[in-house]
Amino acid sequence: MSRTPLIAGNWKMFKTGPEAVATAERLTDLTRDTQDVDIMIAPTFLSLPLVSERTRRGTVKTGAQNLFHEREGAYTGEVSAEMIRAAGADYVIVGHSERRLLFNETDQSINLKVKAALNAGLAPVLCVGESETEKDEKKTFSVLDKQVRNGLKGFRSEQLGSLVLAYEPVWAIGTGKTATPDQVNEVHRYIRALMEKLFDKTLANAVRILYGGSVKPENVSELMALEDVDGALVGGASLDADKFVRIINFKTER
Ligand code: PGA
């Protein structure tokens, strides 16, 4: 089964509106002729409508970095899936480890967010990954099992057609440490097998599983060559359009 690779940039809390637009426009120019790779950037909520508008005619799609699961209401400071969709986004990152760790997100709140995203027609990019301690205690697979199982609780396979999973070992995010290709493929294979166990073979074969954690032009082709790696979720190296495009063009990057 051939899955179209997805290269996604998570801009985190970087870039003002004008900075985000400038980077997005440069990226749009650089990727005008890109084929066979889906591209997504996730700016801050503030920049999302502007960036979506400026990238509309190109190959770059946009996403949000988070959402709140209610449609609307008295939830000061929150943004709903419908509002994100109306801002022009196609994707939303859900359950990033920074949100789990710094903002107390749980598998239960993440499950509600996945539901809200799908209801609004957004493709959720559900992030999972173990911490350094959990890795050292050999708990990687049990942690991933719990995060995937609980994050996707209550869905049927037919509802998850747009779902994207992202394996991001917490110890590899922003640290310059990447998991070895063998470690990455073993985990991705485990997640795909788990999706088959929880849902069915069709979904397991179709779902894209991205790798995230210190992905850069220098290591992307090795990672993308792995059978069960279908893309990358890129933080730091996505902030510069010229650098990010080298990741998008992973087929020619050595
Ligand atoms: P990084 O971040 O590429 O800077 O390690 C990845 C992420 O947090 O999604």
Side-chain angles (χ1 to χ4, degrees), residues 126-210:
L126 172 61
C127 301
V128 295
E130 83 286 6
S131 67
E132 182 132 50
T133 319
E134 288 162 342
K135 174 170 78 88
D136 293 344
E137 291 171 356
K138 310 239 176 305
K139 289 186 184 152
T140 299
F141 294 134
S142 63
V143 168
L144 294 174
D145 182 287
K146 184 179 120 333
Q147 290 176 341
V148 172
R149 194 181 287 272
N150 293 337
L152 299 179
K153 199 179 225 142
F155 292 106
R156 293 186 316 277
S157 139
E158 315 81 83
Q159 298 171 293
L160 297 175
S162 69
L163 172 76
V164 177
L165 294 169
Y167 169 55
E168 299 204 306
V170 179
W171 48 271
I173 295 178
T175 57
K177 294 184 199 168
T178 2
T180 65
D182 282 350
Q183 285 171 324
V184 175
N185 209 42
E186 190 188 7
V187 172
H188 281 230
R189 203 176 305 134
Y190 173 84
I191 295 173
R192 205 176 295 289
L194 177 62
M195 289 299 285
E196 181 171 346
K197 194 163 92 183
L198 296 175
F199 299 98
D200 55 41
K201 204 175 181 71
T202 310
L203 181 63
N205 281 336
V207 73
R208 291 185 288 190
I209 309 178
L210 316 185

Side-chain angles (χ1 to χ4, degrees), residues 4-254:
T4 306
L6 170 62
I7 305 293
N10 173 9
W11 286 359
K12 308 192 180 184
M13 200 175 75
F14 290 99
K15 296 185 188 294
T16 61
E19 289 165 351
V21 165
T23 309
E25 284 181 341
R26 171 91 183 134
L27 187 64
T28 302
D29 285 344
L30 292 171
T31 54
R32 210 161 285 291
D33 301 320
T34 301
Q35 285 177 345
D36 308 323
V37 181
D38 290 344
I39 307 165
M40 183 269 268
I41 46 177
T44 66
F45 284 134
L46 284 179
S47 304
L48 185 61
L50 273 175
V51 165
S52 301
E53 168 61 29
R54 299 300 171 86
T55 53
R56 200 157 44 95
R57 285 186 192 81
T59 53
V60 179
K61 303 272 190 229
T62 58
Q65 301 170 17
N66 180 33
L67 77 160
F68 186 59
H69 67 268
E70 293 287 352
R71 178 180 278 269
E72 60 180 14
Y75 304 104
T76 303
E78 295 300 319
V79 176
S80 74
E82 285 74 16
M83 291 165 187
I84 292 166
R85 187 80 183 117
D90 289 290
Y91 295 87
V92 59
I93 299 170
V94 180
H96 189 278
S97 62
E98 285 153 17
R99 300 234 36 107
R100 291 179 191 257
L101 288 168
L102 304 173
F103 302 97
N104 305 318
E105 290 198 7
T106 62
D107 286 334
Q108 286 66 39
S109 64
I110 289 164
N111 180 248
L112 293 173
K113 289 179 187 220
V114 171
K115 210 166 284 175
L118 290 168
N119 284 340
L122 290 169
V125 180
L126 172 61
C127 301
V128 295
E130 83 286 6
S131 67
E132 182 132 50
T133 319
E134 288 162 342
K135 174 170 78 88
D136 293 344
E137 291 171 356
K138 310 239 176 305
K139 289 186 184 152
T140 299
F141 294 134
S142 63
V143 168
L144 294 174
D145 182 287
K146 184 179 120 333
Q147 290 176 341
V148 172
R149 194 181 287 272
N150 293 337
L152 299 179
K153 199 179 225 142
F155 292 106
R156 293 186 316 277
S157 139
E158 315 81 83
Q159 298 171 293
L160 297 175
S162 69
L163 172 76
V164 177
L165 294 169
Y167 169 55
E168 299 204 306
V170 179
W171 48 271
I173 295 178
T175 57
K177 294 184 199 168
T178 2
T180 65
D182 282 350
Q183 285 171 324
V184 175
N185 209 42
E186 190 188 7
V187 172
H188 281 230
R189 203 176 305 134
Y190 173 84
I191 295 173
R192 205 176 295 289
L194 177 62
M195 289 299 285
E196 181 171 346
K197 194 163 92 183
L198 296 175
F199 299 98
D200 55 41
K201 204 175 181 71
T202 310
L203 181 63
N205 281 336
V207 73
R208 291 185 288 190
I209 309 178
L210 316 185
Y211 173 76
S214 300
V215 176
K216 43 186 190 261
E218 293 74 23
N219 60 19
V220 66
S221 40
E222 189 178 27
L223 290 161
M224 291 301 294
L226 301 169
E227 194 184 330
D228 282 299
V229 174
D230 308 309
L233 182 52
V234 187
S238 72
L239 294 170
D240 178 278
D242 293 80
K243 197 169 190 179
F244 190 42
V245 81
R246 290 172 57 200
I247 297 179
I248 293 164
N249 295 334
F250 63 88
K251 284 185 189 133
T252 51
E253 189 65 37
R254 283 283 164 263

